[in-house]
Amino acid sequence: MNYETHEHDVLVIGAGGAGLRAAIEASAAGVSVGLVCKSLLGKAHTVMAEGGIAAALANVDDRDSWKVHFADTMRGGQYVNNWRMAELHAKEAPDRVRELEAWGAVFDRTKDGRILQRNFGGHRYPRLAHVGDRTGLEMIRTLQDHGIHQGIDVHMECTIVTLLKDGERIAGAFGYERERGRFKLFRAKAVVLATGGVGRAYKITSNSWEYTGDGHALAYDAGADLVDMEFVQFHPTGMIWPPSVRGILVTEAVRGEGGVLRNSEGRRFMFDEVPENYRAQTADNEEEGWRYTQGDKAARRPPELLTRDHVSRCIMREVKAGRGSPHGGVFLDIAWIKSRIPHGAEHIKKKLPSMYHQFKQLADLDITQEPMEIGPTTHYIMGGVRVDADSQMSSVPGLFAAGECAAGINGANRLGGNSLSDILVFGKRAGEFAAKYAGGEKSANIDAPQVDEAARRTLEPFDRGGSGEGPYQVQYALQEMMQNLVGIVRNETEMRRALDGLEPLRERASRVGVAGHREYNPGWHAALDLHNLLTVSEAITRTAIERRESRGGHFREDYPDKEKKFASINFIVRKGRDGRMEVASAPIPEMPDELKQIIEEMK
Ligand SMILES: Cc1cc2nc3c(=O)[nH]c(=O)nc-3n(C[C@H](O)[C@H](O)[C@H](O)COP(=O)(O)OP(=O)(O)OC[C@H]3O[C@@H](n4cnc5c(N)ncnc54)[C@H](O)[C@@H]3O)c2cc1C
């Protein structure tokens, strides 16, 4: 079999914020680095991020500190987070943001010239460093500009389909070029997975075509543990109309800037139910909520800025009760702030330029004049590769993971803004420790049969040709099933049906065929993605069945409360010896007293 071979000390798979930051760090340590991405460099998910990067810089409110950020992250994650990751993240995020600034990122500014920070759900103080609502674009631009001067070898439009091993340790990866369909073999002493999320396992999602859970499945197949897979984040505000744009994100920054949620009766329903552990921090009237969004330090945040899991469920409640909008969502209104702010329409356009254009172009709606129709959309997965908190190494020697495809920091629910800071903090750490690991290792051996087998499997859909079922039918059936049976509100009966439904879908996936040749053949790519989508869907379903309680992003109508016995465990998924998926529970290590004390103090 023909394939092009490349050799690097560290191979980074994924060129979003986590991958780029890892590659920069590894390269700065003096090792050779290869960076592979599925699409063009600069087109990763990170570029779509709008609201901002959470970091306790305390530029807008000097009461903020890493301790408050740590406590907010743990509360948001409902205390099943990896506390060491949450600690490192809160402590290191400010330096990572300042570093980005030093590398040329042009953030919005306070009047006295410091990085401006905005309010976001679940963050006690204004904490999100931002560039209008195009923060991800600025982050990617800056990392890319910095990275290209580091001597990193970039392999664009190349999809990795298998990780290669030498005994227990990682040895490289195998993939195909999307453009020509040619195979590429990468030899590497260390591999960093930074492949992002799994949103495409669901029908309604803010995620783009690239997010098919590749890194999760690659790690799982290579023998690594996954953790927290039951925790999927359904963002409360996705577009719902027209149908062609359903799921596209409406940034939380709209609510941070004063946007409010109303039902069909015009009522701000978010005041109806405030969870006990947030009551003391939440405004109890509209006036106080408004003052908070305008920077009044004495005011508490409006209930629209409660955590995403809660807001999503409140929206579903309104819809189910018949108080929804015409297309099955509710209304998000930012236009109302014109009654409070001079030149309000201009202010909205300045603060939320992308949202203004998004609605104008895609829905023919002017958000400075009318409310938006929105509803929950699958947005992010808290679960992913289980890593060591400090080094980001997985249970497979030499295999590291960072960013959305890794797990731990977010627990049961991620706070908005914490992903962009996570990818900087842990991207850097993964790069640093992967370089260290590679520095101490000899080149690994990759035996030819392993590679030939990977190539054979990759070409299988062509063997069946146009007579096999098309991959998209299987993909749609899976997305429909996950949306309906393992979505925002879950129960045992439906999830068992999903589990039963996965087996026939796997069967169908093994029979899909594609016609044509290997050059830019999206049907072929979709056929290969199916294995990853099915793997993550099974992991989500199995762990969601096991967690017989409701916590964060995981809500069970048959177990609507939090249960003490689940407060101290994470669910782990791994491949058993017989090739079947196994689920085990792992106790969360005892938190050190000083961290416990911080949480107590911040309650
Ligand atoms: C619309 C939107 C807005 C958001 N806004 C915010 C925000 O304001 N603040 C915040 O904190 N978070 C936000 N998020 C979440 C955040 O953007 C992501 O969680 C984060 O960017 C993930 O970064 P990453 O580096 O882990 O992966 P990504 O940026 O998703 O990059 C993944 C990379 O992996 C590559 N890849 C995937 N599979 C393969 C494969 N098999 N082979 C080779 N390469 C592969 C892709 O091509 C890509 O380069 C938002 C998300 C969305 C969708």
Side-chain angles (χ1 to χ4, degrees):
M1 195 79 65
N2 267 339
Y3 33 76
E4 209 177 283
T5 303
H6 299 268
E7 186 148 3
H8 303 288
D9 292 320
V10 174
L11 179 71
V12 180
I13 305 173
L20 275 164
R21 191 62 193 82
I24 289 171
E25 199 63 21
S27 179
V31 300
S32 71
V33 179
L35 179 64
V36 190
C37 52
K38 224 165 156 173
S39 55
L40 294 172
L41 186 64
K43 275 199 75 208
H45 225 166
T46 302
V47 88
M48 296 160 75
E50 295 158 350
I53 314 170
L57 297 157
N59 286 353
V60 172
D61 195 318
D62 56 14
R63 290 171 297 179
D64 205 8
S65 68
W66 78 263
K67 292 181 179 176
V68 190
H69 193 181
F70 167 76
D72 285 352
T73 301
M74 293 299 294
R75 186 187 298 110
Q78 312 235 335
Y79 305 106
V80 291
N81 322 47
N82 178 320
W83 47 260
R84 173 68 178 154
M85 283 178 83
E87 178 192 7
L88 288 170
H89 167 253
K91 281 181 173 165
E92 294 177 9
D95 280 350
R96 296 289 76 78
V97 171
R98 286 189 207 102
E99 180 178 71
L100 214 56
E101 186 186 34
W103 292 349
V106 185
F107 287 102
D108 285 7
R109 300 270 144 194
T110 60
K111 285 203 174 81
D112 60 355
R114 291 180 295 164
I115 294 173
L116 184 60
Q117 297 183 273
R118 66 159 47 117
N119 292 310
F120 238 58
H123 294 281
R124 185 177 284 207
Y125 302 121
R127 188 175 285 146
L128 267 69
H130 61 277
V131 185
D133 56 4
R134 295 177 180 144
T135 313
L137 175 62
E138 187 67 0
M139 181 188 265
I140 280 283
R141 188 195 63 74
T142 307
L143 290 173
Q144 232 175 266
D145 280 0
H146 194 77
I148 53 170
H149 299 295
Q150 299 266 135
I152 300 163
D153 281 336
V154 180
H155 307 271
M156 280 191 257
E157 297 204 299
C158 174
T159 302
I160 297 298
V161 287
T162 314
L163 294 178
L164 302 168
K165 287 172 76 180
D166 178 4
E168 288 306 303
R169 68 174 272 214
I170 207 75
F174 178 84
Y176 65 89
E177 266 182 355
R178 297 177 74 81
E179 189 185 354
R180 308 290 296 275
R182 288 181 303 212
F183 290 143
K184 283 192 171 182
L185 169 67
F186 298 93
R187 294 175 179 279
K189 294 176 185 166
V191 171
V192 179
L193 289 170
T195 51
V198 309
R200 287 281 154 174
Y202 286 84
K203 184 173 156 191
I204 301 171
T205 177
S206 64
N207 289 193
S208 83
W209 62 270
E210 288 182 68
Y211 301 101
T212 46
D214 299 9
H216 294 71
L218 288 167
Y220 169 83
D221 287 331
D225 290 352
L226 305 182
V227 63
D228 292 342
M229 290 299 287
E230 67 274 34
F231 297 125
V232 176
Q233 181 168 80
F234 300 94
H235 193 293
T237 58
M239 290 179 85
I240 55 170
W241 194 256
S244 58
V245 300
R246 193 167 187 141
I248 293 181
L249 193 76
V250 181
T251 175
E252 196 163 321
V254 176
R255 284 169 284 144
E257 298 295 343
V260 299
L261 291 167
R262 294 186 202 281
N263 61 18
S264 59
E265 297 164 355
R267 197 161 51 78
R268 276 181 74 178
F269 58 86
M270 286 305 301
F271 280 99
D272 296 353
E273 189 193 325
V274 176
E276 185 55 44
N277 58 341
Y278 281 99
R279 201 157 293 160
Q281 300 178 8
T282 307
D284 51 22
N285 63 76
E286 297 191 11
E287 189 53 35
E288 184 184 6
W290 167 248
R291 282 193 284 111
Y292 175 91
T293 64
Q294 300 312 296
D296 180 347
K297 290 184 180 171
R300 293 169 299 171
R301 70 177 144 228
E304 276 87 357
L305 289 177
L306 283 163
T307 53
R308 292 173 175 179
D309 52 330
H310 176 74
V311 181
S312 288
R313 280 194 295 277
C314 290
I315 292 172
M316 295 298 286
R317 183 194 63 209
E318 293 305 301
V319 174
K320 272 193 179 162
R323 296 187 292 266
S325 63
H327 302 103
V330 294
F331 296 103
L332 172 62
D333 187 7
I334 183 76
W336 83 277
I337 70 170
K338 286 185 302 183
S339 63
R340 296 298 189 104
I341 288 186
H343 312 296
E346 290 316 308
H347 176 83
I348 295 167
K349 284 189 208 167
K350 182 164 170 257
K351 287 287 179 185
L352 302 162
S354 299
M355 285 304 104
Y356 175 75
H357 288 292
Q358 185 172 307
F359 274 89
K360 199 83 190 118
Q361 280 163 12
L362 301 179
D364 195 22
L365 186 142
D366 181 348
I367 66 168
T368 69
Q369 305 300 327
E370 289 173 77
M372 300 155 246
E373 245 190 288
I374 55 86
T377 180
T378 313
H379 184 54
Y380 183 90
I381 183 150
M382 276 67 79
V385 183
R386 189 185 191 203
V387 289
D388 170 68
D390 288 69
S391 70
Q392 298 289 287
M393 189 153 94
S394 71
S395 48
V396 173
L399 180 62
F400 296 75
E404 190 168 341
C405 77
I409 180 195
N410 297 300
N413 179 44
R414 173 179 72 93
L415 300 186
N418 268 3
S419 176
L420 290 192
S421 38
D422 160 13
I423 63 186
L424 291 175
V425 169
F426 294 108
K428 177 187 183 293
R429 281 184 166 267
E432 177 188 337
F433 284 91
K436 264 190 200 148
Y437 178 91
E441 291 292 320
K442 290 203 198 82
S443 290
N445 280 323
I446 298 177
D447 54 10
Q450 200 182 163
V451 183
D452 289 345
E453 171 57 16
R456 190 196 59 74
R457 266 189 285 116
T458 310
L459 291 176
E460 261 179 5
F462 285 113
D463 300 341
R464 291 184 289 268
S467 59
E469 186 180 5
Y472 292 108
Q473 277 92 320
V474 184
Q475 195 194 84
Y476 296 150
L478 175 69
Q479 290 169 335
E480 189 82 35
M481 188 181 82
M482 290 301 287
Q483 186 75 35
N484 295 335
L485 303 181
V486 201
I488 303 178
V489 177
R490 302 167 171 178
N491 65 55
E492 184 109 8
T493 316
E494 289 183 349
M495 288 192 290
R496 293 258 168 227
R497 268 174 50 208
L499 205 54
D500 292 343
L502 281 167
E503 209 36 59
L505 284 174
R506 236 181 240 291
E507 279 279 301
R508 282 168 64 184
S510 70
R511 291 195 304 265
V512 297
V514 290
H517 47 73
R518 284 159 70 174
E519 288 186 17
Y520 259 133
N521 188 332
W524 181 37
H525 308 162
L528 296 173
D529 290 343
L530 286 175
H531 168 72
N532 305 329
L533 286 169
L534 285 160
T535 303
V536 294
S537 298
E538 184 178 347
I540 293 168
T541 309
R542 286 194 185 279
T543 48
I545 289 174
E546 289 305 318
R547 190 170 279 279
R548 291 185 175 83
E549 64 156 358
S550 292
R551 187 179 293 272
H554 171 69
F555 182 77
R556 300 235 350 203
E557 57 190 355
D558 44 354
Y559 298 97
D561 299 317
K562 281 204 276 284
E563 296 292 336
K564 199 157 177 253
K565 65 178 173 194
F566 291 111
S568 53
I569 56 166
N570 297 126
F571 284 105
I572 312 291
V573 166
R574 62 174 70 102
K575 200 175 203 167
R577 282 182 189 282
D578 58 359
R580 286 173 189 271
M581 192 174 280
E582 289 176 355
V583 178
S585 68
I588 298 173
E590 183 77 13
M591 194 187 293
D593 287 344
E594 66 267 24
L595 294 183
K596 278 189 194 154
Q597 203 182 327
I598 292 170
I599 288 175
E600 269 316 299
E601 281 166 11
M602 304 292 163
K603 266 187 179 158

